Amino acid sequence: QIPSRVLIVIAGLAGWPITTLAWLCLLNVLPFTPDALALRWQYVSAIQDFSSLCIWLATCAVTKAILEVGLQMTLNGLTLNHYETRIQSAVAVYVSLRKLFAIAKAAEKAKAKHSRSSYKTRNAAVQGAAADAVANLEENDIDIGVSGPSRFNRLHGSLNILAGPFQVGAGFRDVSTIEKARIRARQAFYPLVKAQGRSKDQGLSREKVLQWLGAGEKSIEAGIFTMDPLCEEDFVAVVERAYKEQRFITASMSSFDVCNDILWRFFFAGWLVSMVLTLTFMFGVDFREWVMPMITLTVSVCWVLSRMLGDMIQGAIFVLWIRPFDIGDWIKLSSPGQPSKSDEMAVRSITLWRTHFVSITGEQKLIQNSVMNGMCITNLNRSSSSPCFPIKILVPAVTAPAKVTELVDSIRQYITDKDTDWVNGSLLVSSMNYSAGYMALDIWPTYRCLHQDLGAMSDSKTRLLLFIHSYMQIAGIAYVRPVQRFTDIVNEGGKRQSSPLAFEL
């Protein structure tokens, strides 16, 4: 019969379980019974270098376990620190929208059930059904399966939910595209409005929505529903933003996992080479004879691959530790201390070596992470939620003070009235250029949209500029650059002299 210790060695070679290989270190120490088994083991242990092989296998098991545990704990910590808050916010918004869709479905069913009743009776039934749905939601909160014994398990459960389709509740089909998300949001908006006893033009009451969700003014939901009242386009924008955030988080985590896998393979290759070299030197190879060849080979390989290895190390630090952007973020690049001259770009994919961008004009760009590591990166998605950019207009210096005051008051009133585009705004005269005949009026409006909503920002700015242009035309305020004379200096016969001709601009 094959001795049991040989079976242990064979089991250790197949899969290398830690408990088996750690046991191999103690094979020559522990006493064995009965005597027949101990006698068989004496013959097995007499095999040349058998004890050395056992120690090598145990060393492999222990070092591989330390490598796996240490690297996994580091990567898990990086994942939690970077994504935990973002994923919790996405899940909270996801649950809130499911609640609103459930209320909308209950209101729609009540409306269909009382379709032949009077308008007053039907509205009362719809509002009552919505109130019952809210009470039912408070009693039996939506369970999305994100509980777990540890933070990482809860994070993994949340990711499994976000990785699936955008579930909007019973009665509505799940969302798999951005266009379907807009359609579902429009389908749910009118029942929600009727559930509040309001008309479609009046929109949703923000206070009532937060009351339905059981959220306060400092909650995540309050930061999502900022408009009051909430019109249909605002509600569609909230659902659209939540859907995009879900997809972007899923794509970012997939990219993060790919980078982690490449990093693990790199460390595993280094560990494997070291273990093979150790085994080689343990079984008869003179280490002193191989010192110089190994050093020469190592230096040669490092010299040949120095650029690639340096870029990989910098890219790994940049992507895994610094992580200045994620997939879906809008960024701008510039040299340190210099204003940005590049267009806004959206992050499409991230690897350890390079990042793939799509510019606002549709151009595809690949930039190495090691290059961006020394640049200034402006992440629009992580900037403040209320962007403020100056808009400069030129007012003729000869304009009467009363007209200038009226112009400033009209612009302020427009910003106040258009609360769907602007939060507030301030105006100031930044400079006076009497030679050019104008004063520079700077408008500092605070946008209602987010930094990354470049389209919405452009639309708001366009409407404001069209209003200013129309008002200035009606008020007779039109700036025309005045005629200015100057004398040009020309060369004739190698001499510099003044030309008698004067040019007008």
Side-chain angles (χ1 to χ4, degrees), residues 130-251:
D132 294 340
V134 172
N136 189 31
L137 289 173
E138 292 177 353
E139 183 178 353
N140 302 311
D141 201 1
I142 296 177
D143 182 16
I144 58 174
V146 296
S147 60
S150 66
R151 292 170 58 196
F152 194 78
N153 288 341
R154 292 192 294 271
L155 183 70
H156 190 267
S158 301
L159 284 175
N160 289 335
I161 295 299
L162 297 177
F166 192 77
Q167 300 176 355
V168 292
F172 293 91
R173 294 183 179 179
D174 293 341
V175 173
S176 57
T177 63
I178 188 64
E179 186 59 33
K180 290 182 178 180
R182 298 190 186 102
I183 294 174
R184 300 293 182 270
R186 289 191 172 90
Q187 289 176 346
F189 180 76
Y190 185 67
L192 289 174
V193 170
K194 300 305 292 183
Q196 292 186 354
R198 300 160 68 97
S199 64
K200 192 173 184 180
D201 295 336
Q202 292 176 321
L204 286 171
S205 170
R206 178 176 179 271
E207 181 180 358
K208 187 67 174 178
V209 171
L210 295 181
Q211 183 180 350
W212 280 346
L213 300 176
E217 285 295 333
K218 295 184 179 180
S219 61
I220 297 175
E221 294 81 358
I224 297 298
F225 300 101
T226 57
M227 300 299 299
D228 191 19
L230 196 69
C231 66
E232 182 178 1
E233 292 304 320
D234 295 331
F235 184 74
V236 173
V238 169
V239 176
E240 180 180 344
R241 193 178 298 121
Y243 175 79
K244 287 182 179 180
E245 180 70 4
Q246 179 176 333
R247 298 276 75 85
F248 286 152
I249 287 178
T250 304

Side-chain angles (χ1 to χ4, degrees), residues 80-323:
L80 285 172
N81 294 334
H82 187 76
Y83 288 104
E84 186 176 23
T85 302
R86 185 180 177 186
I87 291 175
Q88 288 176 351
S89 300
V91 171
V93 175
Y94 173 78
V95 173
S96 299
L97 290 179
R98 287 191 61 181
K99 290 181 179 180
L100 291 179
F101 276 95
I103 295 172
K105 189 59 184 178
E108 192 176 23
K109 287 183 178 180
K111 180 182 176 182
K113 184 177 180 181
H114 297 82
S115 59
R116 296 186 178 182
S117 304
S118 63
Y119 178 80
K120 185 175 181 179
T121 303
R122 186 167 61 251
N123 279 352
V126 169
Q127 296 179 36
D132 294 340
V134 172
N136 189 31
L137 289 173
E138 292 177 353
E139 183 178 353
N140 302 311
D141 201 1
I142 296 177
D143 182 16
I144 58 174
V146 296
S147 60
S150 66
R151 292 170 58 196
F152 194 78
N153 288 341
R154 292 192 294 271
L155 183 70
H156 190 267
S158 301
L159 284 175
N160 289 335
I161 295 299
L162 297 177
F166 192 77
Q167 300 176 355
V168 292
F172 293 91
R173 294 183 179 179
D174 293 341
V175 173
S176 57
T177 63
I178 188 64
E179 186 59 33
K180 290 182 178 180
R182 298 190 186 102
I183 294 174
R184 300 293 182 270
R186 289 191 172 90
Q187 289 176 346
F189 180 76
Y190 185 67
L192 289 174
V193 170
K194 300 305 292 183
Q196 292 186 354
R198 300 160 68 97
S199 64
K200 192 173 184 180
D201 295 336
Q202 292 176 321
L204 286 171
S205 170
R206 178 176 179 271
E207 181 180 358
K208 187 67 174 178
V209 171
L210 295 181
Q211 183 180 350
W212 280 346
L213 300 176
E217 285 295 333
K218 295 184 179 180
S219 61
I220 297 175
E221 294 81 358
I224 297 298
F225 300 101
T226 57
M227 300 299 299
D228 191 19
L230 196 69
C231 66
E232 182 178 1
E233 292 304 320
D234 295 331
F235 184 74
V236 173
V238 169
V239 176
E240 180 180 344
R241 193 178 298 121
Y243 175 79
K244 287 182 179 180
E245 180 70 4
Q246 179 176 333
R247 298 276 75 85
F248 286 152
I249 287 178
T250 304
S252 297
M253 289 301 300
S254 299
S255 173
F256 201 78
D257 291 341
V258 171
C259 294
N260 292 347
D261 184 64
I262 295 175
L263 195 64
W264 160 247
R265 292 175 184 271
F266 177 78
F267 280 101
F268 179 77
W271 170 84
L272 185 61
V273 170
S274 63
M275 289 296 101
V276 171
L277 290 177
T278 303
L279 181 64
T280 304
F281 294 134
M282 286 177 61
F283 287 90
V285 177
D286 190 358
F287 178 75
R288 291 171 295 179
E289 296 180 359
W290 286 87
V291 169
M292 290 306 299
M294 288 180 58
I295 294 177
T296 304
L297 178 62
T298 303
V299 172
S300 301
V301 171
C302 292
W303 182 80
V304 172
L305 302 178
S306 59
R307 180 66 181 272
M308 185 181 69
L309 291 176
D311 291 346
M312 178 182 172
I313 294 174
Q314 289 188 29
I317 295 175
F318 183 81
V319 171
L320 299 177
W321 272 266
I322 302 177
R323 198 74 176 184

Side-chain angles (χ1 to χ4, degrees), residues 316-428:
I317 295 175
F318 183 81
V319 171
L320 299 177
W321 272 266
I322 302 177
R323 198 74 176 184
F325 47 72
D326 291 306
I327 292 178
D329 289 355
W330 285 89
I331 70 165
K332 292 192 296 184
L333 299 177
S334 63
S335 300
Q338 300 294 328
S340 177
K341 298 181 180 179
S342 66
D343 295 332
E344 292 83 358
M345 301 183 297
V347 182
R348 185 169 183 177
S349 63
I350 303 173
T351 64
L352 285 180
W353 284 272
R354 62 183 62 91
T355 302
H356 185 191
F357 297 97
V358 180
S359 69
I360 195 171
T361 57
E363 298 175 340
Q364 308 287 329
K365 298 183 180 182
L366 286 173
I367 305 178
Q368 289 188 355
N369 295 331
S370 58
V371 174
M372 291 188 291
N373 194 29
M375 300 183 69
C376 177
I377 300 175
T378 303
N379 192 325
L380 301 181
N381 290 63
R382 300 182 188 178
S383 302
S384 62
S385 57
S386 299
C388 181
F389 299 106
I391 301 174
K392 178 176 292 187
I393 62 174
L394 303 181
V395 181
V398 297
T399 306
K403 283 191 174 183
V404 176
T405 303
E406 291 176 359
L407 174 63
V408 171
D409 293 340
S410 299
I411 295 175
R412 284 176 176 165
Q413 188 62 40
Y414 175 85
I415 293 175
T416 302
D417 294 340
K418 293 293 183 179
D419 56 354
T420 56
D421 292 337
W422 313 100
V423 178
N424 52 48
S426 59
L427 293 87
L428 58 93

Side-chain angles (χ1 to χ4, degrees), residues 3-6 8 23-42 45 50:
S4 59
R5 296 190 176 186
V6 176
I8 293 177
W23 174 252
L24 293 176
C25 293
L26 307 176
L27 291 179
N28 292 323
V29 179
L30 298 179
F32 281 77
T33 55
D35 295 337
L37 183 59
L39 181 63
R40 293 170 185 172
W41 173 239
Q42 291 179 5
S45 60
F50 181 75

Side-chain angles (χ1 to χ4, degrees), residues 436-450:
Y438 70 83
M439 66 176 70
L441 180 63
D442 288 352
I443 307 171
W444 291 82
T446 302
Y447 291 81
R448 178 70 67 178
C449 57
L450 302 178

